[in-house]
Amino acid sequence: MLRDGDATFQTTDFLERIGKVKARQAAADDALRSEFDIYEREAAEHTLELVYRHLYMLRQSVQVMHDMPDEEIIPILRAKVRDHGGATKFCAAVRRFAGLELDPDWIEELIEEDEADHPAASVSPLLKSALVGLSAGMNVNSANISRRAAGGLDAEMGGES
């Protein structure tokens, strides 16, 4: 694990946020195990539903950096694959933005093993590089789109583009 001050701000922020959400998840899990009142049970189930959505949103939107802990890589991968519409489209995006070739069958296998509680012993450096490259490439693409849009606005308003 990383020591304080060793992590990038993106990783530190992600780990702080996900830590808070996981604490809410643990509290709701405890409540489900101990509460028998129907209203408390429904409240705990609702909280868990919100927690799962929040975890997905955090993992789907995180900018993966080189220092992301391995235990978060596969859950992040699952969210990003789902967000792209499947392993094939995810691999195409990695090829386009990161310039790396990944096998969609391998990606699906990693996700399935993790869901079956048989996580990989260690995260492949190729997979981590692909997620880092995808995040960086998508950010550059977003910046280019914003720059072009701003240039278009300048031209519409009589400025230089």
Side-chain angles (χ1 to χ4, degrees):
M1 194 69 186
L2 298 168
R3 294 174 300 189
D4 288 339
D6 287 349
T8 57
F9 75 89
Q10 293 93 338
T11 300
T12 301
D13 181 61
F14 173 78
L15 293 176
E16 286 174 3
R17 288 171 164 220
I18 209 147
K20 290 175 186 175
V21 176
K22 285 181 178 180
R24 287 180 50 215
Q25 179 182 13
D29 283 337
D30 288 346
L32 278 177
R33 282 192 293 274
S34 63
E35 302 301 332
F36 298 104
D37 180 291
I38 188 74
Y39 299 109
E40 291 171 343
R41 181 171 193 73
E42 285 180 11
E45 288 171 351
H46 180 70
T47 298
L48 278 176
E49 186 178 310
L50 294 174
V51 162
Y52 296 142
R53 285 185 199 163
H54 197 175
L55 287 171
Y56 171 78
M57 180 205 65
L58 287 171
R59 289 174 173 144
Q60 178 268 331
S61 63
V62 68
Q63 180 179 357
V64 178
M65 302 301 283
H66 66 281
D67 57 356
M68 183 63 68
D70 285 356
E71 63 267 13
E72 285 298 332
I73 293 295
I74 301 298
I76 290 169
L77 173 68
R78 183 184 312 110
K80 292 193 180 285
V81 166
R82 183 175 172 197
D83 189 51
H84 279 87
T88 301
K89 290 181 181 179
F90 170 80
C91 290
V94 167
R95 185 173 38 260
R96 184 171 56 253
F97 292 115
L100 297 172
E101 289 289 331
L102 297 179
D103 179 9
D105 294 333
W106 178 61
I107 297 298
E108 288 174 358
E109 184 179 308
L110 288 172
I111 292 169
E112 288 171 8
E113 287 176 1
D114 187 65
E115 289 172 346
D117 289 329
H118 303 305
S122 64
V123 172
S124 161
L126 176 64
L127 178 59
K128 196 175 235 185
S129 294
L131 289 169
V132 169
L134 178 64
S135 293
M138 292 180 82
N139 285 342
V140 167
N141 193 44
S142 294
N144 288 338
I145 290 168
S146 297
R147 200 171 17 261
R148 278 188 247 136
L153 287 174
D154 284 345
E156 284 180 20
M157 300 179 91
E160 299 275 329
S161 62

